[in-house]
Amino acid sequence: MTHSARLTVLGTAALAIVALGACRKTPPAIEAEPAVPSINQDSINRVRDAAAADEARRRADQARQDSIANAAALGSQQQAEMVATLGNVVYFDYDDATISAQGRAVLDSKIPILLANSSLTIRVAGHTDERGSAEYNLALAQRRAIAVKGYLSTRGVSSNRIEAVSYGEEYPVAEGSMESAWSLNRRAEFEITSPATPLARPRP
Amino acid sequence: MPRVSPVAAIAATIVLACTATALRAQDPAQGVRLTLEYRAGARPGVLVLPVGGPQGDSVRTMLERDLDFGNRVSIVALAGADAASLAPVAGRPLNWALLGRLGAAGVVQAASTPAGLQVTVYDVGRQSVLDSQTFPLTPAPLSRDWRHAVHGISDEIEGWLTGTRGIARTRIAFVRGTALFVVDSDGAMETGIPVVSPPLSPAWHPSGTALAYNTYGVGSRVMVHDFATGRARTVSSTAGGVNQTPVFSPDGRDIVYAYTGEDGNAELYRVGASGGSARRITTGRGSLNLSPSFSPDGRRMVFTSSRAGQPEVYIMDADGTNTELLTSFVFGEQSYQSNSDWSPDGRLVAYQAQIAGRFQIKTIAIRDRGTRVLTSEGQNEDPSWAPDGRHLVFTSTRSGARQLWIVDVESGRMRQLTRSPGARAPAWSRR
């Protein structure tokens, strides 16, 4: 069908509707011919009802999808929060492996998650700043990782779930030879080493 | 006749054999050798004549540079044409008077021949031939083996001239980034050594046939790379934790390294060079004890310990007894002294010390504990002795990026060894 032909058909239908309206305003003069306008009305209603039903169904589907997504987002947000808590970094003073107040707070926040997930294993990686001997720093960073491991194990996390490793001064997170960089580099980082499974939430 | 157990007899024989070897090594004048006559403390001038035959220019450049880097003689720099005019020709002897005026106490004449490099060294003062010999050269000019042969000839010539063999035919192992390298003493032939994990702290077997080092991160261990096979094997038996800073005993049979286990303390352990069970040496009581270095006779060790709080250098018997502080605390600032290396002649221990917030290379004398500061520019760390007990390789930031530098502790002369930034953890091979 050509473009102009389609317009012609639409034009004819429009004329028919206009004619229908004209019929309503005047008393039915021709009772014998009600069939044609009533068929048209029904078909229009049917089309309109179907569209509305489609729309409703679409909205319901959307709401359900949104609900699922929201629920999932809520779950993964909790998962993400727990993973982030487990990953929070502990910082140290210069040439020191003592767990500070900051370190205790960070580690204490990890403990409920570790206790609620007994199959979870982690790796603690010790790091130092760039100052001093790279050899000494390799041992110092291990001492930091061991200090973290010791703190967690005295609070009930089995030590065989925690692997302590050292990277010495080899992997700084902050560049530069000033205290602001050094203080960020003297740290213990955390990595989950067990296979990725949803974490159980600690009991409140 | 008193009964002597077979084990004791064998041990006594080994000790005697080792003593004899040590005596020979300490007495280069055995068999009576004359060297150049020169004022004590002055470096005699040496002229290297243009070298005839293929690769003559390369040979001359290498001989001159090796003798210069040895710091025992001073090279008389003459352009090839001028130097050539001084060469002896058939029927005409050397112009001794002119050579003397040029400051040459010795003259090196060399020529590549099918039999090798023919070398004659003249003593200008005595107007005579000091020594002459033909040295075999590998047939692949400028290859690694060829260069090593030429370095060996330089070392022999330095021995003729000064009575002390040179150190040109030695190598330095070091780390750059997460890779392990070996470079010739003149900075040429930098070669990577394959490693499976990031390496640190390379250390030479006394024979030069193997290199120990440690890996860090997950599965840290002490490895020994064998140059003949190109393979590395694990020798640390202490699993988990950090295994680091290996050194070979002077007889090459054992390795001493530091292990930081579950108690968070680093202690020194001794293990056979091919592995086996490790025996603990130190009792650090809650401290870090690492970076060991043997005395040349293998009976004592220096090492870094944090037992006093901060890192300091200690000395002890090789079995871990009689430990005492070697470096005295530096008062008035944050004391930090570490990375000690005992000189091959036994007299000095080199180490790094924090001075005014920066690390510098120092030496301390074993006999009177007198110290010297050898560096002042930039950060200078991690010294390692050359086999002559006179040169040290160390890291320095004096030119910007961290590089390996070499200092002659007698004269204070410095030279830069590496050219790509980030080189560190140098270890100088034995001869």
Side-chain angles (χ1 to χ4, degrees), chain A residues 94-95 123 131-140 142-143 146 149 163-167 169-171, chain B residues 201 216-218 241-242 244-245 260-262 264-265 286 290-291 306 311 334 336 338-339 359 381 424:
Chain A
Y94 173 69
D95 192 15
R123 180 178 293 143
R131 291 177 291 172
S133 155
E135 295 180 347
Y136 182 84
N137 284 339
L138 196 56
L140 175 60
Q142 179 73 5
R143 198 177 179 80
I146 292 285
K149 179 175 176 171
E163 182 190 8
V165 302
S166 170
Y167 291 99
E169 65 180 62
E170 309 302 327
Y171 296 99
Chain B
S201 309
Y216 56 87
V218 177
V242 174
Q244 62 169 144
T245 63
T260 308
E262 286 299 306
N265 303 325
L290 68 163
S291 308
S306 68
Q334 204 164 34
Y336 192 127
S338 66
N339 294 64
F359 281 97
E381 299 183 64
R424 64 210 182 105

Side-chain angles (χ1 to χ4, degrees), chain B residues 133-390:
Chain B
Q133 196 175 324
T134 300
F135 299 93
L137 275 182
T138 58
L142 308 179
S143 67
R144 175 189 319 278
D145 290 346
W146 184 90
R147 290 182 55 92
H148 273 214
V150 174
H151 287 316
I153 296 166
S154 298
D155 293 344
E156 194 70 21
I157 292 169
E158 193 173 321
W160 294 350
L161 292 166
T162 67
T164 304
R165 212 184 140 76
I167 51 162
R169 198 181 63 188
T170 56
R171 291 177 289 172
I172 289 139
F174 67 94
V175 171
R176 185 187 292 122
T178 56
L180 183 60
F181 294 90
V182 170
V183 66
D184 287 355
S185 71
D186 61 352
M189 292 283 152
E190 192 175 291
T191 308
I193 304 292
V195 291
V196 290
S197 296
L200 207 60
S201 309
W204 289 91
H205 187 275
S207 68
T209 56
L211 198 61
Y213 61 93
N214 70 268
T215 68
Y216 56 87
V218 177
S220 160
R221 58 214 153 124
V222 171
M223 315 271 305
V224 172
H225 175 89
D226 183 74
F227 285 99
T229 64
R231 293 209 188 90
R233 61 179 192 278
T234 302
V235 295
S236 52
S237 55
T238 36
V242 174
N243 295 285
Q244 62 169 144
T245 63
V247 286
F248 284 95
S249 59
D251 63 8
R253 289 179 193 168
D254 291 343
I255 286 177
V256 172
Y257 66 96
Y259 168 63
T260 308
E262 286 299 306
D263 58 3
N265 303 325
E267 300 283 6
L268 294 178
Y269 286 74
R270 186 167 185 142
V271 69
S274 50
S277 61
R279 186 162 43 86
R280 181 167 144 177
I281 300 172
T282 52
T283 311
R285 294 188 187 83
S287 61
L288 303 177
N289 301 273
L290 68 163
S291 308
S293 173
F294 275 96
S295 63
D297 63 7
R299 291 165 59 187
R300 285 190 289 171
M301 267 186 251
V302 287
F303 64 103
T304 305
S305 177
S306 68
R307 62 189 64 195
Q310 75 286 0
E312 296 288 348
V313 176
Y314 290 77
I315 187 168
M316 67 177 180
D317 291 350
D319 63 1
T321 59
N322 293 325
T323 306
E324 59 170 307
L325 182 69
L326 179 67
T327 52
S328 51
F329 301 127
V330 180
F331 291 103
E333 61 181 308
Q334 204 164 34
S335 183
Y336 192 127
Q337 302 180 95
S338 66
N339 294 64
S340 48
D341 191 39
W342 205 315
S343 71
D345 62 15
R347 292 185 305 119
L348 299 172
V349 170
Y351 59 102
Q352 66 182 60
Q354 190 162 242
I355 300 169
R358 288 188 308 179
F359 281 97
Q360 305 298 348
I361 305 300
K362 290 183 76 173
T363 58
I364 183 166
I366 290 294
R367 184 172 294 179
D368 63 7
R369 307 281 159 101
T371 63
R372 277 180 67 198
V373 183
L374 300 177
T375 57
S376 56
E377 284 178 69
Q379 296 266 9
N380 302 280
E381 299 183 64
D382 217 351
S384 172
W385 285 102
D388 62 359
R390 170 172 177 150

